[in-house]
Amino acid sequence: MPRVIISGAGIAGTVLAYWLGKNAFDVVVVERSMSSTQSGQIIDVEGPAQEIVTRMGLMEEIKSNVTHEAGMRFVDDSGKEFARFPVGSTGISNEIEIMRPALTRILLAAAENLPN
C-alpha cells in the first residue's frame, strides 16, 4: 500500500486524505498547530463542493451543523430597514453555510474513520 504524508489538516488536506484513503493509500496528515483548525469564518458549501461532500456521505452531517443564518438586512440610524438580502438571493448568504472549525472537524473525522 503506498504511503502518503499530507501537510495541513485544513479543508483541502482532510478532503485529500479522505479520497486517498478511500483509494488504498496509507495516509498520514501532519499539522503544525491544531489550534489553526479551531478558528475561521463561515464557509459556503455550494456548487462542486456540494457534490464532493455528498459523495463523501457527509451532506446530512454538514446540514445539521449549518449557521442557520436568516439572511442580511440593513437598517438606518432609526432602525428602519432599507435593504434586505434573504438567504440564497444574492450570494451574500447561502443555504449551506458552516463555520470553518465545524467543517474541518467533520472532514477530519471522515478521513480518520477510514480503515487505513
Side-chain angles (χ1 to χ4, degrees):
M1 175 181 304
R3 187 164 207 198
V4 176
I5 297 176
I6 298 172
S7 177
I11 293 169
T14 54
V15 171
L16 180 60
Y18 176 86
W19 287 110
L20 288 174
K22 288 283 283 188
N23 287 282
F25 283 80
D26 182 20
V27 180
V28 174
V29 178
V30 294
E31 174 60 51
R32 178 175 29 180
S33 171
M34 288 308 290
S35 65
S36 68
T37 64
Q38 301 305 311
S39 62
Q41 291 298 318
I42 292 174
I43 302 290
D44 293 328
V45 181
E46 56 185 24
Q50 286 185 5
E51 182 178 340
I52 291 166
V53 297
T54 298
R55 287 183 181 185
M56 292 173 77
L58 301 175
M59 182 58 88
E60 292 309 311
E61 186 174 0
I62 287 171
K63 283 183 176 180
S64 71
N65 284 275
V66 296
T67 62
H68 301 289
E69 186 175 322
M72 183 183 296
R73 64 187 190 113
F74 293 92
V75 296
D76 61 21
D77 292 339
S78 66
K80 182 181 175 190
E81 182 179 296
F82 64 88
R84 176 185 297 254
F85 300 98
V87 170
S89 65
T90 62
I92 292 174
S93 181
N94 291 298
E95 291 181 27
I96 303 176
E97 292 184 338
I98 185 169
M99 296 302 292
R100 182 181 203 90
L103 180 58
T104 302
R105 177 184 45 76
I106 291 166
L107 295 171
L108 184 58
E112 289 177 336
N113 287 333
L114 293 174
N116 51 342

